[in-house]
Amino acid sequence: MSITVRTLTKLYGEQKAIDSISFDVKSGEILGFLGPNGAGKTTTMKIITCYMPQTSGTVEVDGLSTIDDSLAVRSKIGYLPENNPLYHEMNVLEYLEYAAALHGMKRNQVTHRIKEMVHVCGLESVRHKDIGELSKGFRQRVGLAQAMIHDPDVLILDEPTSGLDPNQIVEIRNLIKQLGRAKTVVLSTHILSEVQATCDRVLIINEGKIVADGTPQQLQQDFQGAESLTLELRTGLPDPLQQISPKLRNIAGVGGVELLGQSNGTSRFELHVEKGADVRESAFRLAVAEGWVIIEMHRKATTLEEVFHKLTTS
Amino acid sequence: MNSLPNILPIFKRELRSYFNSPVAYVVIVVFLAILGWFFGSNLFLNNVASLYIIFDSPLVKILFLVIAPAITMRLLAEETKSGTIELLTTKPVKDIEIILGKFFAAWVVLAAALVPTFLYVIIMAVLGAIDLGQVISGYVGLMLMGGVFVALGLLASSLTENQIVAFIMGFIFAFIIFMLDKVLPYLPNFMASTLEFLGVDFHYSSIARGVIDSRNIIYFLSMLAFSLMMATVSLERRKW
């Protein structure tokens, strides 16, 4: 079950919420939709789920247009909207029955399927409670159960872990991974570790445009700029700026040296390393030759955070 | 209704929600308390045994004007405010099914408020002869007039996410079509007959007299259809 998005544009009045974006989601893939708030993630999801139509462009789910075959598309999609709206006065079972009925499921199927979803989502202990009384973590599980009640091929999850505590985040993430195995999943988030933990592929979107597309590892590599090496030395020398920095600067592959601080005969440097170079060994040999003691040395590689930051700030 | 299968689950959910919350009970109790007071005082203090209070008095019409929007105000406003409307409209459900399911649920609550008034009819039947035909057409008329008020209240609820605003707008919509045939003396002749025909009370009164005329039925059905269609269009506004 694939999703095809072509030159999708949405205007809110004069303002372009999304600007001619195109992408595909392959069957069985978990796609992470990453971007700062207001980048157009939610708008794109609302269009895919047929909540509102685009200004121009096309969206096809399994070859069906969201405009012309809206009902058919909606029956294939399970959707967890942003902020997970729920009917607080209903209890969990009533609510799941309602969601199943809206999908036109038969009575004998419904009982079985609800039991299954209650089990998979860990809702046994609260199934007779009103949704309004549940904690945020349980509500999120109810939202997921609701989205999957009809066993859809496509899951659209808008910030499924927002507002949860760290333990709940891990639980929900595992749930998504487990449930998403046989499904096409699109999930949006602005938490980067989430993407690394759950997604096969990442789309970074900013100001309505796609700025990067690839696996988390690919993006990290592609945007790997100059690395840096933090080095702390005990030398006993009174003037590290004059006595140490020039020597470090002379190591092949070092583009620049910055003194971060000094105290009691130790000084801390940051070495800017040229792309592809590894200067750790040369630094060690230099220290040995000069008789300096290395207190600390570590290499900083580009993280997805930095890729994200680089791509989404102009 | 085969082509609109989702009316039923929506209807059931709304109805359950009414009777799981104080809304339905408060509305029904207020309606019966006020109506019962006037019916009782007419009977015991004035010694008049009459169903005038239930079917013909301005009181019952004013009560309907107020309780109909009170019943409907939350129907769509609440869903818009809490965001559940997004869940509902991304299920394979047509907008018209949402409107009809909610409309029928609210209409049933209004009918539930009328059921205890059968007691008055029974009291009257014990005290003297009643014209059963007139009683039936009276109830039919009340349900049709109430149905139009409920549909207008639902339209109002679709226009805002604030329930108080929905209540006030619903009251105003219903009040306007109720007043249309009351302002005739102030208007030029050529407008008078048109407005009279559009006024809800003109048609109600002739049904309540015991005459179920197809013109009145057609009037009520077209008012219902028009209001519900407007509510559907208003729900589709998100797509504009």
Side-chain angles (χ1 to χ4, degrees):
Chain A
M1 196 72 56
S2 60
I3 304 172
T4 315
V5 175
R6 288 288 170 272
T7 61
L8 191 68
T9 301
K10 175 76 187 178
L11 298 171
Y12 289 122
E14 294 283 290
Q15 201 198 343
K16 268 190 181 165
I18 41 180
D19 187 1
S20 189
I21 63 172
S22 301
F23 62 90
D24 294 280
V25 191
K26 288 193 285 290
S27 195
E29 194 172 42
I30 302 186
L31 177 79
F33 225 43
L34 204 60
N37 291 328
K41 296 173 298 205
T42 298
T43 304
T44 310
M45 292 186 146
K46 281 182 173 172
I47 293 170
I48 297 175
T49 54
C50 311
Y51 177 67
M52 57 185 188
Q54 58 271 41
T55 309
S56 65
T58 58
V59 178
E60 285 181 0
V61 176
D62 197 27
L64 296 167
S65 152
T66 51
I67 302 283
D68 302 328
D69 309 295
S70 166
L71 283 175
V73 169
R74 281 185 264 168
S75 67
K76 287 173 194 289
I77 288 182
Y79 179 36
L80 177 68
E82 196 177 14
N83 304 327
N84 187 22
L86 296 165
Y87 296 99
H88 289 194
E89 78 279 9
M90 293 178 101
N91 78 34
V92 173
L93 286 182
E94 280 172 358
Y95 179 55
L96 293 180
E97 275 166 26
Y98 178 54
L102 290 179
H103 277 287
M105 290 170 72
K106 302 244 160 41
R107 206 152 239 303
N108 50 351
Q109 282 176 291
V110 170
T111 327
H112 175 73
R113 182 68 186 160
I114 287 178
K115 240 184 218 162
E116 196 181 333
M117 287 323 300
V118 163
H119 175 71
V120 172
C121 296
L123 291 166
E124 280 102 343
S125 58
V126 296
R127 64 186 191 278
H128 293 297
K129 274 198 182 168
D130 282 354
I131 292 171
E133 297 171 14
L134 300 183
S135 69
K136 229 172 164 178
F138 273 121
R139 282 188 203 174
Q140 210 70 12
R141 286 153 181 271
V142 174
L144 277 173
Q146 163 281 130
M148 290 180 306
I149 195 77
H150 57 300
D151 198 14
D153 297 307
V154 178
L155 271 179
I156 311 279
L157 311 172
D158 199 351
E159 302 201 356
T161 58
S162 77
L164 299 182
D165 71 37
N167 295 336
Q168 293 170 328
I169 289 181
V170 173
E171 285 171 22
I172 294 291
R173 238 182 241 165
N174 290 340
L175 198 55
I176 293 170
K177 254 185 168 171
Q178 183 195 340
L179 298 161
R181 239 177 263 145
K183 301 188 189 309
T184 307
V185 182
V186 179
L187 69 89
S188 80
T189 178
H190 45 244
I191 306 166
L192 295 129
S193 54
E194 186 143 296
V195 168
Q196 271 162 324
T198 30
C199 301
D200 304 323
R201 211 178 110 212
V202 190
L203 273 183
I204 300 183
I205 176 167
N206 187 37
E207 289 173 358
K209 289 194 167 103
I210 292 175
V211 289
D213 179 354
T215 65
Q217 294 78 6
Q218 257 175 357
L219 291 184
Q220 257 166 295
Q221 276 168 14
D222 291 357
F223 292 92
Q224 192 131 50
E227 275 182 17
S228 69
L229 188 74
T230 308
L231 197 61
E232 190 170 347
L233 300 170
R234 181 179 295 142
T235 57
L237 296 170
D239 188 4
L241 209 55
Q242 296 300 323
Q243 295 167 294
I244 307 173
S245 290
K247 290 180 179 158
L248 291 172
R249 180 71 184 77
N250 283 340
I251 299 172
V254 172
V257 176
E258 213 178 312
L259 180 66
L260 296 176
Q262 64 177 113
S263 64
N264 299 335
T266 65
S267 21
R268 209 173 157 79
F269 298 91
E270 181 160 304
L271 277 56
H272 300 286
V273 180
E274 283 158 12
K275 199 171 177 175
D278 187 352
V279 300
R280 287 172 297 178
E281 200 177 324
S282 327
F284 173 76
R285 291 192 187 289
L286 176 69
V288 171
E290 299 283 341
W292 301 333
V293 179
I294 296 180
I295 306 285
E296 185 191 335
M297 168 154 74
H298 82 264
R299 185 163 66 146
K300 269 202 305 197
T302 323
T303 59
L304 204 53
E305 254 92 3
E306 284 159 326
V307 174
F308 178 77
H309 185 71
K310 226 182 264 175
L311 288 170
T312 56
T313 47
S314 38
Chain B
M1 293 280 160
N2 257 347
S3 56
L4 301 171
N6 285 311
I7 292 175
L8 196 61
I10 292 168
F11 168 78
K12 280 203 271 191
R13 194 205 86 81
E14 289 302 336
L15 202 59
R16 196 175 337 185
S17 161
Y18 273 124
F19 287 100
N20 276 344
S21 75
V23 181
Y25 302 106
V26 168
V27 165
I28 292 173
V29 165
V30 167
F31 176 73
L32 290 175
I34 296 176
L35 202 65
W37 168 259
F38 283 94
F39 177 78
S41 57
N42 210 22
L43 184 64
F44 297 118
L45 301 179
N46 303 341
N47 283 323
V48 180
S50 157
L51 288 171
Y52 163 79
I53 292 290
I54 310 181
F55 295 127
D56 246 353
S57 64
L59 177 70
V60 72
K61 297 169 192 171
I62 291 168
L63 281 175
F64 262 42
L65 279 174
V66 176
I67 67 167
I71 294 172
T72 55
M73 63 182 187
R74 52 165 278 276
L75 281 175
L76 283 159
E78 195 182 34
E79 298 233 30
T80 312
K81 182 147 201 162
S82 71
T84 46
I85 195 71
E86 198 173 333
L87 276 175
L88 194 52
T89 52
T90 52
K91 297 268 185 277
V93 174
K94 295 182 189 129
D95 287 356
I96 183 80
E97 292 174 324
I98 298 174
I99 294 295
L100 288 178
K102 285 175 181 282
F103 166 73
F104 285 122
W107 207 12
V108 166
V109 173
L110 194 72
L114 281 177
V115 169
T117 65
F118 292 168
L119 189 65
Y120 306 163
V121 177
I122 294 168
I123 293 170
M124 287 301 112
V126 172
L127 291 175
I130 56 161
D131 179 348
L132 194 62
Q134 198 178 349
V135 168
I136 292 171
S137 68
Y139 277 117
V140 169
L142 279 180
M143 281 310 292
L144 287 172
M145 182 172 71
V148 170
F149 292 170
V150 164
L152 288 168
L154 181 57
L155 168 63
S157 185
S158 73
L159 294 170
T160 169
E161 57 170 49
N162 183 322
Q163 295 193 34
I164 307 293
V165 174
F167 173 80
I168 294 168
M169 277 204 293
F171 174 78
I172 291 172
F173 290 166
F175 189 70
I176 288 172
I177 68 155
F178 181 75
M179 289 303 286
L180 279 181
D181 62 336
K182 308 276 182 288
V183 295
L184 302 179
Y186 308 102
L187 293 171
N189 276 338
F190 70 96
M191 284 173 74
S193 63
T194 319
L195 277 185
E196 184 177 45
F197 187 79
L198 286 174
V200 75
D201 197 31
F202 170 71
H203 297 275
Y204 169 72
S205 299
S206 76
I207 292 185
R209 272 199 304 273
V211 191
I212 298 189
D213 185 329
S214 60
R215 268 180 306 181
N216 298 324
I217 302 294
I218 289 168
Y219 166 81
F220 278 112
L221 293 184
S222 25
M223 281 306 283
L224 277 177
F226 174 74
S227 312
L228 294 173
M229 223 161 65
M230 290 301 287
T232 311
V233 170
S234 159
L235 184 59
E236 278 168 357
R237 255 181 325 158
R238 68 179 188 277
K239 297 182 180 166
W240 300 349

